[in-house]
């Protein structure tokens, strides 16, 4: 870096005359340089406060015009230097962060996939936030480290030191958010395992649930306070590190002002919230311990292994920010800062946080798959308690092979045909006719009695006609035998007429059959045609309109024997 102050100003070398000067074997018009207030410095630059150009080989301007414009000049804020130590170390860290970014995407895909229906109480994005913040931190670190290369290559400090510092602070915020989301999601995962056997075991509106609702809001409030304190500011004074007086007057007061000193305390509050959230989850979702010492032992015992690394690394982040806010020599904002401090305290904690998360992501299963495994274990325990022995998975495949093929490759027609073969095909009547006839013959029924071998087989109408009462079986069979020789249409008409005569005996037809049908109806229940105690019209007295008989319908119903319901015809 060029170091110059007021004593570094040198006079223009003499030339051929009083209005001529020679800079790097090139003649310039000294009158024009003096008119435009150009000053020559010992670090090989010429500047008038607004414009700055290099004056050493191979960047010497070839000409200066009367209006003060240099021809073929090189701007002072140009990456003309070689990569230094700071840039070289930064490239190595950039490669590691790039690898961390790629592996984070892999773990995000592994743990972000859903194998169970999404639940309203546990949103899928909740398990992904820790990976989103890891991606953010890696991206911010890559931008900071790649712009850090130009911090060494620029001849005079300018925009690269601002970009490096800006994204370094964003990376620090992302590191704190990674640890917070890891702890918060671990508590959510413990709650999910706790309520999966019994969804109503934990309420969402109790004290525990309200604390878990407000903690993320409080954490992100303090994180955003840190953001608004550090990020939105004038970063231009950080560039003023071109000579010692400028560093003392501009750069150091800006890098160590009250806002940079207040930011780390906001991150300390965030770290305390992380510890409280971890203790809250252990208290409610792990076995409880009595006593202060036992609680401290239980906190260490039930804390996941990765948090032994994440919590100390997260504490280093605000501690190092506080250090550089008081000591400018160790700060990444310092162009000539101590490299060991910048990378060991500034970038290494975030890198380790990311890789601890990646290792944990690779060795742990997806939550949905783990939950399905736990449900399967609980189901096996319940079956064992109920003495239920389930067939192994290969049992169904063996049965399918025995049936003649794999069910999964069968079409719907083949499955239906296989089911029919198992049950038995054909119409139900044809399939069970012989069995029904045998059973009826044993019971002495006439309706399903066997047909004589000497008789002709009957038509469908004749067979349907046989399902009549036993009293009319002889006449119905004779009619059916007569109808069997007729044409189809005539047979149908005769059958319908005969059936109508049987069902409605008073509508016409054979009087003897009608009388016989009435006698059969009279056999069960009270006689429905008994004359009531009303007189005829001839026996009624004139003008009264009522009979002279003392027998009434009510009396008849009282004196008659009680009705005995024997069939649906009585009702």
């Amino acid at each position: 870096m060029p170091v110059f102050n007021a004593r570094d100003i040198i006079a223009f070398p003499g030339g051929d005359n009083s209005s001529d000067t020679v800079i790097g074997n090139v003649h310039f018009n000294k009158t024009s340089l003096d008119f435009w207030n150009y000053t020559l410095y010992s670090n090989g630059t010429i500047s008038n406060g607004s414009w700055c150009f290099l004056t050493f080989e191979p960047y010497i301007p070839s000409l200066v015009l009367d209006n003060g414009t240099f021809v073929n000049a090189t701007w002072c804020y140009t990456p003309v230097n070689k990569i230094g130590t700071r840039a070289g170390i930064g490239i190595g860290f950039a490669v590691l962060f790039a690898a961390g970014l790629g592996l984070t995407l892999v773990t995000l895909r592994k743990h972000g996939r859903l194998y169970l229906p999404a639940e309203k109480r546990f949103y899928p994005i909740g398990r992904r936030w820790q990976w989103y913040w890891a991606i953010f931190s890696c991206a911010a670190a890559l931008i900071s480290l790649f712009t850090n290369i130009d911090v060494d290559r620029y001849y005079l400090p300018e925009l690269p030191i601002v970009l490096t510092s800006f994204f370094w602070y964003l990376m620090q915020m992302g590191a704190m958010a990674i640890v917070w989301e890891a702890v918060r999601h671990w508590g959510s995962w413990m709650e999910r395992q706790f309520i999966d056997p019994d969804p109503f075991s934990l309420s969402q509106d109790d004290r525990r649930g309200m604390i878990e609702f407000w903690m993320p809001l409080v954490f992100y409030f303090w994180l955003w306070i840190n953001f608004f304190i550090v990020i939105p500011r004038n970063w231009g004074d950080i560039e003023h590190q071109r000579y010692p007086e400028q560093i003392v007057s501009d750069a150091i007061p800006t890098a160590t002002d009250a806002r940079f000193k207040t930011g780390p305390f906001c991150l300390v509050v965030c770290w305390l919230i992380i510890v409280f959230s971890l203790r809250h989850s252990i208290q409610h979702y792990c076995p409880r311990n009595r006593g202060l010492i036992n609680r401290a032992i239980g906190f260490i015992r039930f804390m996941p292994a990765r948090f032994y690394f994440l919590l100390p690394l997260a504490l280093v982040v605000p501690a190092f920010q506080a250090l550089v806010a008081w000591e400018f020599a160790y700060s990444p904002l310092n162009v000539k800062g101590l490299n060991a401090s910048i990378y060991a305290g500034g970038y290494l904690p975030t890198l380790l946080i990311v890789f601890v998360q990646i290792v944990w992501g690779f060795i742990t299963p997806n939550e949905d798959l783990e939950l399905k495994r736990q449900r399967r274990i609980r189901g096996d325990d319940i079956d064992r308690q109920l003495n239920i022995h389930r067939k192994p998975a290969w049992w169904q495949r063996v049965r399918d092979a025995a049936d003649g093929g794999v069910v999964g490759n069968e079409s719907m027609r083949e499955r239906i045909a296989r089911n029919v073969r198992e049950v038995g095909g054909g119409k139900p009547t044809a399939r069970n006719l012989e069995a029904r006839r045998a059973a009826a013959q044993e019971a002495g029924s006439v309706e399903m009695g066997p047909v004589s071998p000497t008789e002709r087989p009957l038509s469908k109408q004749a067979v349907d006609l046989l399902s009549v009462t036993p009293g009319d079986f002889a006449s119905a069979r004779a009619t059916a035998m007569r109808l069997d020789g007729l044409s189809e249409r005539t047979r149908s008409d005769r059958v319908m007429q005969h059936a109508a005569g049987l069902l409605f005996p008073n509508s016409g037809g054979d009087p003897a059959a009608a009388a016989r049908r009435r006698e059969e109806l009279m056999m069960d229940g009270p006689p429905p045609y008994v004359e009531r105690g009303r007189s005829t019209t001839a026996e009624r007295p004139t003008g009264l309109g009522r009979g002279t008989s003392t027998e009434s319908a009510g009396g008849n119903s009282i004196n008659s024997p009680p009705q005995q319901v024997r069939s649906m015809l009585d009702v």
Side-chain angles (χ1 to χ4, degrees), residues 225-226 229-230 257-267 325-326:
I225 288 295
N226 174 263
I229 287 177
V230 174
D257 63 358
R259 296 180 64 178
F260 279 118
K261 291 179 180 178
T262 306
F265 289 99
C266 298
L267 296 184
W326 269 271

Side-chain angles (χ1 to χ4, degrees), residues 397-462:
R397 293 193 293 269
V398 172
R399 289 192 57 189
D400 296 338
D403 291 338
V406 181
V407 179
N409 297 330
E410 291 181 347
S411 63
M412 183 58 66
R413 180 182 296 274
E414 293 173 346
R415 293 185 182 183
I416 294 176
R418 183 169 53 83
N419 293 337
V420 170
R421 289 194 303 270
E422 292 179 0
V423 178
K427 296 182 179 180
T429 303
R431 185 173 64 248
N432 300 327
L433 183 60
E434 297 298 332
R436 291 172 59 191
R437 283 178 176 175
Q441 185 177 5
E442 293 178 1
S445 174
V446 181
E447 178 182 1
M448 293 302 297
V451 182
S452 175
T454 59
E455 297 179 0
R456 297 171 55 198
L458 303 180
S459 62
K460 180 178 183 301
Q461 289 82 0

Side-chain angles (χ1 to χ4, degrees), residues 47-338:
S47 174
N48 64 350
S50 299
W51 300 93
C52 181
F53 303 101
L54 302 180
T55 60
F56 56 88
E57 293 289 347
Y59 308 107
I60 303 175
S62 58
L63 179 65
V64 59
L65 303 179
D66 293 339
N67 60 359
T69 302
F70 284 87
V71 179
N72 295 331
T74 302
W75 186 247
C76 291
Y77 310 103
T78 303
V80 296
N81 296 331
K82 295 181 179 180
I83 294 178
T85 305
R86 175 168 178 165
I89 300 175
I91 292 175
F93 271 85
V95 172
L96 295 177
F97 273 105
L101 178 60
L103 295 175
T104 300
L105 293 174
V106 176
T107 53
L108 171 61
R109 184 181 183 276
K110 175 183 178 181
H111 290 272
R113 295 184 64 181
L114 296 180
Y115 296 92
L116 292 174
E119 303 177 26
K120 185 177 180 181
R121 191 167 179 176
F122 304 98
Y123 291 100
I125 196 173
R127 71 175 79 169
R128 301 169 184 167
W129 268 118
Q130 53 186 329
W131 309 111
Y132 291 156
W133 279 115
I135 293 173
F136 172 83
S137 298
C138 290
L142 287 174
I143 298 174
S144 176
L145 291 168
F146 280 121
T147 56
N148 190 46
I149 298 174
D150 286 336
V151 173
D152 281 353
R153 299 191 66 229
Y154 265 52
Y155 190 75
L156 293 181
E158 205 204 16
L159 185 61
I161 187 62
V162 174
L163 293 178
T164 297
S165 305
F166 181 88
F167 284 99
W168 178 77
Y169 276 102
L170 291 180
M171 180 196 67
Q172 300 281 285
M173 294 177 56
M176 295 297 296
I178 292 173
V179 180
W180 157 252
E181 287 296 336
V183 173
R184 182 206 59 79
H185 174 256
W186 178 76
S188 176
W189 167 236
M190 295 294 291
E191 179 186 7
R192 189 180 182 188
Q193 296 178 93
F194 196 91
I195 69 171
D196 187 65
D198 183 10
F200 303 100
S201 59
L202 294 177
S203 176
Q204 291 183 273
D205 54 357
D206 57 355
R207 181 175 179 272
R208 176 202 57 82
M210 296 308 297
I211 290 177
E212 293 178 357
F213 173 79
W214 286 106
M215 272 195 303
L217 301 179
V218 176
F219 174 84
Y220 282 110
F221 169 78
W222 285 101
L223 191 67
W224 287 114
I225 288 295
N226 174 263
F227 173 84
F228 287 114
I229 287 177
V230 174
I231 300 302
R233 62 182 302 125
N234 182 16
W235 291 83
D237 291 339
I238 303 298
E239 301 176 4
H240 297 169
Q241 303 182 42
R242 294 151 192 165
Y243 53 91
E245 284 78 2
Q246 192 180 48
I247 295 175
V248 174
S249 62
D250 296 339
I252 293 179
T254 302
T256 59
D257 63 358
R259 296 180 64 178
F260 279 118
K261 291 179 180 178
T262 306
F265 289 99
C266 298
L267 296 184
V268 170
V269 175
C270 293
W271 187 83
L272 294 176
I273 295 174
I274 293 173
V275 175
F276 176 79
S277 175
L278 181 60
R279 184 256 178 192
H280 170 83
S281 300
I282 293 176
Q283 177 185 2
H284 288 279
Y285 307 122
C286 296
R288 298 188 178 183
N289 296 302
R290 300 292 182 181
L292 182 61
I293 299 178
N294 291 333
R295 288 181 181 178
I297 297 175
F299 179 81
I300 302 298
R301 175 186 176 187
F302 295 111
M303 184 170 60
R306 59 171 170 155
F307 294 151
Y308 289 115
F309 302 95
L310 294 181
L311 290 181
L313 292 173
L315 185 60
V316 173
V317 172
F320 184 76
Q321 279 196 20
L323 173 64
V324 301
W326 269 271
E327 294 293 335
F328 184 70
Y330 305 105
S331 175
L333 283 67
N334 187 357
V335 175
K336 293 298 182 180
L338 187 61

